[in-house]
């Protein structure tokens, strides 16, 4: 949705979620979750946002770990990015199913 991508609070364009790779980033977040649950691979520091930047995506990949894990980390959104996605989805669901909230949620 256009309104979602225009509503970013990231301070730099480089760190915003973008429509052209959104599906890849969401898939990576899900796969990263699976790696954590099933294999116990930690990723906490890699998905935290840069201080005061509201970065929705990270920059680069870790220097250690197997190739698949490094690729997932590089593609997955930060916690700030995931929070925006979840918040927008919840608001849009409420807007569509419960009550009008805002025209940008149409």
């Amino acid at each position: 949705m256009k309104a979602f991508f225009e509503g970013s609070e990231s301070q730099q364009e480089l760190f915003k979620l973008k429509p052209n790779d959104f599906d890849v980033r969401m898939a990576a977040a899900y796969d990263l979750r699976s790696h954590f649950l099933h294999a116990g691979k930690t990723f906490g520091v890699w998905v935290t946002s840069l201080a005061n930047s509201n970065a929705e995506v990270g920059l680069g990949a870790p220097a250690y770990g197997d190739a698949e894990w490094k690729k997932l980390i590089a593609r997955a959104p930060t916690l700030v990015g995931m929070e925006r996605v979840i918040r927008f989805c919840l608001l849009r669901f409420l807007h569509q199913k419960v009550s009008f909230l805002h025209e940008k949620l149409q």
Side-chain angles (χ1 to χ4, degrees):
M1 256 191 101
K2 187 177 177 182
F4 172 78
F5 296 105
E6 291 174 349
S8 177
E9 295 175 0
S10 179
Q11 294 177 356
Q12 295 181 11
E13 190 68 30
L14 176 66
F15 296 116
K16 293 180 180 182
L17 286 166
K18 296 174 182 65
N20 62 326
D21 64 357
F22 185 79
D23 292 347
V24 170
R25 292 194 181 277
M26 291 300 101
Y30 184 81
D31 291 345
L32 194 58
R33 169 214 157 270
S34 295
H35 277 260
F36 174 72
L37 289 176
H38 301 298
K41 292 186 178 182
T42 61
F43 55 86
V45 69
W46 294 103
V47 296
T48 56
S49 186
L50 303 172
N52 301 319
S53 72
N54 286 331
E56 298 167 352
V57 298
L59 185 62
Y64 62 88
D66 63 61
E68 181 183 0
W69 185 80
K70 289 194 283 189
K71 185 168 55 173
L72 289 176
I73 292 292
R75 290 181 177 168
T78 65
L79 294 176
V80 170
M82 285 303 298
E83 185 273 334
R84 275 200 65 238
V85 170
I86 292 167
R87 180 183 59 207
F88 188 86
C89 290
L90 288 171
L91 288 172
R92 184 143 196 261
F93 176 80
L94 290 171
H95 174 82
Q96 291 177 329
K97 304 293 183 188
V98 179
S99 178
F100 179 88
L101 297 175
H102 195 278
E103 67 266 358
K104 287 187 176 183
L105 296 170
Q106 292 289 21

